[in-house]
Amino acid sequence: MSAVGFPAFPPTGTAQGAVRRGQSWWARSWVRAMEEFALDAGPLKKGRAYARTGRVGPITVSPGAVQARVQDDDGEMYHTVVSLEPLSDDEWDRFLEALASRSGRLAALLAGEMPRDVVAAALDADVTLLPGIGDLEPACDCPTWDLPCLHAAALSYQAGWLLDADPFVLFLLRGRSREQVLDALRGMSTPSDLTAGDLTSRTATSGPTGTGGEGMADHPSPDPGDDPASDTGTGAAPSGPRVLGELPPPPDVPEPPAAADLLPGVPDRTPDGTPVDVAALRAVLAAAALAAAERLTALDR
């Protein structure tokens, strides 16, 4: 399976580097798995400095490993690898089936987002997608005994930046390329029979989909010429008033959701670090849902 190469990140003192900080929740999960495994905070601090100052060379990502050459203070270059065990074929099959059953998630991935539902799909399939403590295995040919050494720490931080920009990097590390994942999902039946092309075209033509709009099919406006009863088409004009049948009964008012079931994918902090009171948001939405259900019930009477 082919590897994917990424150019070296410039020092963050430049205008280009200032926009990268690994702020996405999945990038933070990657970094946390590395930091909480560390035996000493010193190499982590120096590794962050190495990452920011452009000491890490071009990065190669392949199934099970991210690697690069990292320059030390004395100019010596060390070959550094951070390994993550790929998923087995059986685990991939279960994960992709669970992922395909959640409509709209492929569109988010293609837009560079990692919805928490993707991780939930992995959990449904009894698969661990994001690394936990001890899942990342650093290795370096430098003479130090730190675990991770500062070179591996620097590479891990920059790997988080890659994940921040493209969640498919994580899939490649777990053993499947972007193309393999997309091809597999295109070949699977989803609740709305969507393909990657469908999702991206709908995102472009109709804007972002909300929670209630996922999986809704696009219906083109009918051509008046297709209606034989239309006075603008090719058919004859109607000879009299059209009689409509009896309207169907209104649908039952659904039970309002519990507060705990609302906003499953909302992080507890915004990208700039501001805390989000998710519990309060859930309470407000639950109250609004209950009030709406009561009004619909009253109208139904």
Side-chain angles (χ1 to χ4, degrees), residues 153-229:
L155 176 58
S156 295
Y157 285 119
Q158 288 204 358
W161 298 355
L162 293 177
L163 290 171
D164 206 28
D166 185 359
F168 282 97
V169 170
L170 178 60
F171 291 168
L172 179 57
L173 281 165
R174 285 299 194 182
R176 297 286 175 93
S177 68
R178 178 189 183 96
E179 291 73 22
Q180 287 175 310
V181 172
L182 295 183
D183 288 346
L185 291 175
R186 287 189 188 105
M188 291 181 177
S189 297
T190 64
S192 52
D193 291 325
L194 296 178
T195 65
D198 294 330
L199 290 164
T200 51
S201 64
R202 290 179 191 185
T203 302
T205 56
S206 60
T209 57
T211 302
E214 292 173 357
M216 295 179 64
D218 293 333
H219 298 286
S221 300
D223 186 347
D226 293 338
D227 184 359

Side-chain angles (χ1 to χ4, degrees), residues 7-238:
F9 286 103
T12 57
T14 67
Q16 295 165 304
V19 299
R20 295 184 319 275
R21 281 283 64 86
Q23 290 298 315
S24 63
W25 67 269
W26 60 93
R28 293 198 303 269
S29 294
W30 168 279
V31 170
R32 185 165 57 248
M34 182 267 300
E35 290 181 335
E36 294 183 355
F37 175 71
L39 301 177
D40 185 0
L44 296 180
K45 182 177 180 181
K46 196 157 189 179
R48 281 193 295 270
Y50 271 31
R52 289 193 302 267
T53 53
R55 298 291 191 92
V56 181
I59 297 175
T60 300
V61 179
S62 58
V66 53
Q67 52 189 309
R69 293 177 65 82
V70 183
Q71 185 179 30
D72 209 320
D73 288 331
D74 59 5
E76 187 73 23
M77 300 293 291
Y78 294 106
H79 180 245
T80 306
V81 181
V82 177
S83 300
L84 177 66
E85 184 177 359
L87 301 179
S88 67
D89 288 342
D90 181 61
E91 288 175 321
W92 266 111
D93 290 343
R94 297 200 311 266
F95 171 51
L96 289 172
E97 287 177 5
L99 185 60
S101 69
R102 296 170 179 263
S103 61
R105 300 312 166 212
L106 181 55
L109 286 169
L110 290 169
E113 295 293 328
M114 174 79 80
R116 291 183 187 268
D117 270 14
V118 172
V119 178
L123 292 175
D124 290 345
D126 194 24
V127 169
T128 301
L129 183 62
L130 288 167
I133 300 174
D135 289 342
L136 299 179
E137 298 184 7
C140 184
D141 57 6
C142 70
T144 63
W145 291 90
D146 295 316
L147 195 65
C149 67
L150 59 94
H151 312 101
L155 176 58
S156 295
Y157 285 119
Q158 288 204 358
W161 298 355
L162 293 177
L163 290 171
D164 206 28
D166 185 359
F168 282 97
V169 170
L170 178 60
F171 291 168
L172 179 57
L173 281 165
R174 285 299 194 182
R176 297 286 175 93
S177 68
R178 178 189 183 96
E179 291 73 22
Q180 287 175 310
V181 172
L182 295 183
D183 288 346
L185 291 175
R186 287 189 188 105
M188 291 181 177
S189 297
T190 64
S192 52
D193 291 325
L194 296 178
T195 65
D198 294 330
L199 290 164
T200 51
S201 64
R202 290 179 191 185
T203 302
T205 56
S206 60
T209 57
T211 302
E214 292 173 357
M216 295 179 64
D218 293 333
H219 298 286
S221 300
D223 186 347
D226 293 338
D227 184 359
S230 170
D231 58 5
T232 60
T234 58

